[in-house]
Amino acid sequence: MSVRIEKAGLEPRDQVVLQTARYFFESFANPEHQSWLLGLTCPTLTYGEIDGVRVASLVLGAVQAMRQARQSCFRFNNP
C-alpha cells in the first residue's frame, strides 16, 4: 500500500528526516551519485548546524540497522 507524502500527515520536520533517509538509500543504491552528501546537509537547513548533524547521524544509524536486518531488497522513492 502506498501513501502519498502529502496525505501522510507528516510535519515539515518529519519530512526532512524522510528526505534525509532517502538520500542515504540513494547513496547505497547508486554510490556514484554521492547522495550521502545531501543526506548530511539536508537536515542542517531545518534543524541548524549542530542538531542537523545529529539528525543526519541518527537517520544514517537507522538506515544502517535496516540494511543489516533485511534479507530482501528495500524499495524506496528517489528523493
Side-chain angles (χ1 to χ4, degrees), residues 3-66:
V3 176
R4 296 202 51 85
I5 190 110
E6 58 272 1
K7 301 283 186 183
L10 298 174
E11 298 291 326
R13 296 178 131 227
D14 298 330
Q15 291 181 21
V16 168
V17 170
L18 181 58
Q19 183 177 11
T20 300
R22 286 177 172 164
Y23 285 131
F24 289 129
F25 294 145
E26 172 68 20
S27 188
F28 288 116
N30 298 301
E32 67 279 3
H33 292 171
Q34 298 186 13
S35 300
W36 63 271
L37 293 168
L38 292 171
L40 293 176
T41 58
C42 173
T44 62
L45 300 174
T46 299
Y47 290 93
E49 195 70 33
I50 301 295
D51 288 336
V53 171
R54 288 184 186 133
V55 168
S57 178
L58 290 169
V59 171
L60 180 56
V63 168
Q64 285 288 77
M66 286 189 288

